[in-house]
PDB file of all heavy atoms in Angstrom:
ATOM      1  N   TYR A 273      67.249  -2.911 -14.552  1.00  0.00           N
ATOM      2  CA  TYR A 273      67.977  -1.762 -14.139  1.00  0.00           C
ATOM      3  C   TYR A 273      67.334  -0.412 -14.354  1.00  0.00           C
ATOM      4  O   TYR A 273      67.367   0.476 -13.496  1.00  0.00           O
ATOM      5  CB  TYR A 273      69.424  -1.860 -14.693  1.00  0.00           C
ATOM      6  CG  TYR A 273      70.376  -2.314 -13.585  1.00  0.00           C
ATOM      7  CD1 TYR A 273      70.890  -3.603 -13.622  1.00  0.00           C
ATOM      8  CD2 TYR A 273      70.783  -1.533 -12.518  1.00  0.00           C
ATOM      9  CE1 TYR A 273      71.753  -4.115 -12.613  1.00  0.00           C
ATOM     10  CE2 TYR A 273      71.629  -2.028 -11.487  1.00  0.00           C
ATOM     11  CZ  TYR A 273      72.045  -3.267 -11.533  1.00  0.00           C
ATOM     12  OH  TYR A 273      72.846  -3.734 -10.578  1.00  0.00           O
ATOM     13  N   PHE A 288      72.353  -2.869  -5.262  1.00  0.00           N
ATOM     14  CA  PHE A 288      72.624  -3.060  -6.708  1.00  0.00           C
ATOM     15  C   PHE A 288      73.260  -1.802  -7.355  1.00  0.00           C
ATOM     16  O   PHE A 288      73.287  -1.735  -8.577  1.00  0.00           O
ATOM     17  CB  PHE A 288      71.347  -3.504  -7.390  1.00  0.00           C
ATOM     18  CG  PHE A 288      70.809  -4.752  -6.809  1.00  0.00           C
ATOM     19  CD1 PHE A 288      69.671  -4.728  -5.989  1.00  0.00           C
ATOM     20  CD2 PHE A 288      71.397  -5.966  -6.977  1.00  0.00           C
ATOM     21  CE1 PHE A 288      69.174  -5.872  -5.415  1.00  0.00           C
ATOM     22  CE2 PHE A 288      70.923  -7.120  -6.388  1.00  0.00           C
ATOM     23  CZ  PHE A 288      69.785  -7.066  -5.551  1.00  0.00           C
ATOM     24  N   ALA A 289      73.736  -0.869  -6.550  1.00  0.00           N
ATOM     25  CA  ALA A 289      74.372   0.322  -7.083  1.00  0.00           C
ATOM     26  C   ALA A 289      75.632  -0.094  -7.838  1.00  0.00           C
ATOM     27  O   ALA A 289      76.263  -1.142  -7.577  1.00  0.00           O
ATOM     28  CB  ALA A 289      74.770   1.227  -5.953  1.00  0.00           C
ATOM     29  N   PRO A 290      76.119   0.659  -8.837  1.00  0.00           N
ATOM     30  CA  PRO A 290      75.435   1.870  -9.284  1.00  0.00           C
ATOM     31  C   PRO A 290      74.251   1.641 -10.203  1.00  0.00           C
ATOM     32  O   PRO A 290      74.294   0.685 -11.044  1.00  0.00           O
ATOM     33  CB  PRO A 290      76.578   2.606 -10.101  1.00  0.00           C
ATOM     34  CG  PRO A 290      77.414   1.460 -10.608  1.00  0.00           C
ATOM     35  CD  PRO A 290      77.350   0.358  -9.566  1.00  0.00           C
ATOM     36  N   LEU A 291      73.263   2.448 -10.090  1.00  0.00           N
ATOM     37  CA  LEU A 291      72.103   2.326 -10.922  1.00  0.00           C
ATOM     38  C   LEU A 291      72.273   3.159 -12.187  1.00  0.00           C
ATOM     39  O   LEU A 291      73.373   3.684 -12.497  1.00  0.00           O
ATOM     40  CB  LEU A 291      70.844   2.863 -10.112  1.00  0.00           C
ATOM     41  CG  LEU A 291      70.595   2.034  -8.857  1.00  0.00           C
ATOM     42  CD1 LEU A 291      69.428   2.689  -8.119  1.00  0.00           C
ATOM     43  CD2 LEU A 291      70.253   0.641  -9.189  1.00  0.00           C
ATOM     44  N   VAL A 292      71.277   3.172 -13.049  1.00  0.00           N
ATOM     45  CA  VAL A 292      71.392   3.926 -14.297  1.00  0.00           C
ATOM     46  C   VAL A 292      71.360   5.441 -13.949  1.00  0.00           C
ATOM     47  O   VAL A 292      70.594   5.858 -13.085  1.00  0.00           O
ATOM     48  CB  VAL A 292      70.146   3.577 -15.194  1.00  0.00           C
ATOM     49  CG1 VAL A 292      70.164   4.394 -16.508  1.00  0.00           C
ATOM     50  CG2 VAL A 292      70.061   2.059 -15.520  1.00  0.00           C
TER      51      VAL A 292
END
Side-chain angles (χ1 to χ4, degrees):
Y273 261 104
F288 303 104
L291 299 175
V292 179

